[in-house]
Amino acid sequence: QVRLVESGGGLVPPGGSLRLSCEASGSIFSVNAMGWYRQAPEKQRELVATITSIHTTDYADSVKGRFTITRDNAKNAVYLQMNSLKPEDMAVYYCTASIWPSDGGPLEDYWGQGTQVTVSS
C-alpha cells in the first residue's frame, strides 16, 4: 500500500511564498520521477514541475523562475518552493510519483490527495 501525503497549502497574499511537501510511504522498492500538478476551477489539470531520480528538473513556463522543485531520496519526499505568488497560481496542487512497489509489481503513478493554495489579498 503506497500513499503520498501532502502538506503546506494555505492562504497567502500576492507576492508571498509557500512551501509544499509530499512524502511517499508504504511498500516502496524505488521512487522514479516525482512532480507537482495543479488544477484551478474550470480548468484542466496542468503540469507545474517534475524532477527525476537524478534531480533533473523541468518547469511550466508560467512558474519558471518563481518555483523550485526539490527532492529528498532518503525520505521519498518532494517539495515545491513557491515564491512571488500570483492570483493565477491559485489552485489545488497535487503531488505525483512513479513508484516500483516492494511486491515486484510494475512501475505505476501515484497521486496525493491535493492541497489548496489560495493567493488573495
Side-chain angles (χ1 to χ4, degrees):
Q1 186 177 0
V2 176
R3 295 201 307 162
L4 272 62
V5 179
E6 303 176 346
S7 62
L11 175 66
V12 64
S17 297
L18 283 174
R19 184 173 185 260
L20 306 183
S21 300
C22 176
E23 185 169 343
S25 62
S27 300
I28 296 171
F29 175 75
S30 181
V31 179
N32 196 12
M34 308 183 83
W36 292 91
Y37 285 71
R38 67 186 182 186
Q39 187 167 24
E42 300 184 350
K43 297 188 67 177
Q44 293 185 359
R45 187 172 299 188
E46 64 175 346
L47 175 69
V48 177
T50 59
I51 184 167
T52 71
S53 60
I54 57 170
H55 301 269
T56 301
T57 60
D58 193 27
Y59 298 90
D61 288 341
S62 59
V63 308
K64 197 170 299 183
R66 300 187 296 121
F67 291 10
T68 302
I69 187 171
T70 57
R71 67 187 288 165
D72 185 337
N73 290 340
K75 296 180 178 180
N76 293 327
V78 62
Y79 310 94
L80 186 68
Q81 178 66 46
M82 304 184 294
N83 298 327
S84 302
L85 282 161
K86 305 175 180 179
E88 307 92 88
D89 298 316
M90 186 167 9
V92 177
Y93 284 70
Y94 300 88
C95 68
T96 186
S98 298
I99 296 173
W100 293 96
S102 296
D103 63 6
L107 180 69
E108 293 186 5
D109 292 336
Y110 294 83
W111 292 85
Q113 78 287 353
T115 184
Q116 176 71 49
V117 172
T118 301
V119 185
S120 176
S121 59

